[in-house]
Amino acid sequence: MINRKYPSTRLRRLRQSKTIRDLVAENTVSSNDLIEPMFLVNSKSDAGPVNSMPGVERFEKDQLFREIEESIKHGIKAFAIFPVVPSDLKDESGSYALSADNFLINFLREFSERYPDVISIADVALDPYTSHGHDGILANDIVLNDETNELLGKQAVLLADAGASIVAPSDMMDGRIGVIRSALDANKNKDTIILSYAAKFASSFYGPFRDAVGSKTNLAGASKKTYQMDVRNSDEALHEVAIDVDEGADIVMIKPGMPYLDIISKVKEKFQMPTFAYQVSGEYSMLSNAISQGLLDKSVMLESIVSLKRAGSDAVLTYAAKQIAKEIKDE
Ligand code: PBG
């Protein structure tokens, strides 16, 4: 045992200057670690700011391509595209999700042609498409597991066929990773990557996102607690991850991020799998609001991403991706 004793040991020696701090830093954030989630609308008239998410907008196709172009210039190489489906296209079974030329599918097709080297991530879940706002189909107000899985398998194949580099099941049905992997493999998509929202908690931090895609109104106060994880549990998160890995997940994700650092850390330690964290809408809005009101310095945003990386995430989905990429470049 080394005798770590003051005054021979002084930890402040390695904090004297930025250069030495940078040399001994254990974690860094670069634009390689950032994934930018974005909202796509079908027409210009549906475009505009998301009130509950400062600085975040819903864009129609051409505007979104311009935004993506700008983010690529700042070094972002991965985007998660969420559709905001007009209410007249939503129904009980979310059938628009399986329409082969829906506006998300068309967008992804163009995206993969324009940017073959950029990663596009598409959620596999029905909630943007259902009139009740749930991630699956319902019978007597219960979200049906196996019947939903079948639709998710089909949805994943459509997204992969359209050119999505990664499909990301965010629905939390049991067994969906296996069903989706088999469906992809049976349809010549064996190289499509599955990013599993493996430990997704039934969190109130998703509020602003539901606002952005309109599912908040559709949900009308209903909760997702019968399929998303109980926020009080952590052993269960490891169980979820183990199952998803066995079923074929290539990357596992924990969501939300900052309130769940303990889960990220345990998952990384136990599975040593590629592990992502999602800094969700509520976390983003909380920090952005505090920054814009002058309550906190803008550096808290980067600090929050560093903390996710330190906990064990290899990459982070964050609405602040572009802003952080710029900040890092200017440093
Ligand atoms: C849909 C989905 C949600 C988010 C990502 N995919 C919302 C939900 O589960 O209700 C949340 C993202 C965020 O809050 O930023 N399955």
Side-chain angles (χ1 to χ4, degrees), residues 177-197:
I177 302 300
V179 170
I180 290 169
R181 185 72 271 162
S182 313
L184 290 171
D185 290 356
N187 286 279
K188 302 194 180 66
N189 292 305
K190 65 174 170 41
D191 288 329
T192 302
I193 297 162
I194 299 182
L195 160 61
S196 164
Y197 286 73

Side-chain angles (χ1 to χ4, degrees), residues 82 123 125 127 135 170 197 200 205-206 209-210 224 228 255 278 280-281 319:
F82 295 97
D123 249 41
D127 58 317
D135 292 42
S170 70
Y197 286 73
K200 175 169 177 178
F205 284 100
Y206 309 149
F209 174 97
R210 292 180 187 168
K224 297 192 176 184
Q228 297 180 345
K255 180 185 176 191
Y278 197 145
V280 299
S281 54
Y319 299 93

Side-chain angles (χ1 to χ4, degrees), residues 91-107:
D91 62 19
E92 281 277 311
S93 60
S95 60
Y96 189 62
L98 299 186
S99 145
D101 69 340
N102 76 39
F103 68 88
L104 174 66
I105 302 269
N106 289 333
F107 183 86

Side-chain angles (χ1 to χ4, degrees), residues 140-300:
N140 303 321
D141 284 340
I142 290 169
V143 177
L144 300 174
N145 195 88
D146 303 8
E147 293 80 351
T148 296
N149 279 345
E150 227 169 285
L151 300 179
L152 298 175
K154 291 185 181 145
Q155 185 186 22
V157 171
L158 281 174
L159 296 166
D161 282 345
S165 341
I166 299 183
V167 292
S170 70
D171 56 287
M172 291 298 279
M173 297 302 113
D174 286 320
R176 89 274 208 221
I177 302 300
V179 170
I180 290 169
R181 185 72 271 162
S182 313
L184 290 171
D185 290 356
N187 286 279
K188 302 194 180 66
N189 292 305
K190 65 174 170 41
D191 288 329
T192 302
I193 297 162
I194 299 182
L195 160 61
S196 164
Y197 286 73
K200 175 169 177 178
F201 289 86
S203 169
S204 295
F205 284 100
Y206 309 149
F209 174 97
R210 292 180 187 168
D211 228 7
V213 300
S215 63
K216 192 182 220 148
T217 328
N218 296 100
L219 278 168
S223 92
K224 297 192 176 184
K225 287 185 180 168
T226 68
Y227 44 107
Q228 297 180 345
M229 275 189 59
D230 191 315
V231 302
R232 295 169 293 188
N233 297 347
S234 79
D235 287 345
E236 191 191 4
L238 300 180
H239 201 166
E240 280 284 1
V241 172
I243 291 171
D244 285 6
V245 171
D246 283 349
E247 289 181 19
D250 301 289
I251 306 168
V252 293
M253 182 144 74
I254 290 89
K255 180 185 176 191
M258 217 158 62
Y260 294 82
L261 294 176
D262 56 325
I263 310 288
I264 299 170
S265 163
K266 283 183 185 169
V267 165
K268 189 61 179 182
E269 200 173 332
K270 187 161 171 75
F271 296 96
Q272 285 147 19
M273 286 282 293
T275 304
F276 289 4
Y278 197 145
Q279 179 180 58
V280 299
S281 54
E283 299 175 66
Y284 166 83
S285 295
M286 220 164 50
L287 294 176
S288 294
N289 265 331
I291 292 167
S292 63
Q293 287 180 36
L295 301 174
L296 293 174
D297 184 77
K298 77 174 183 16
S299 58
V300 291

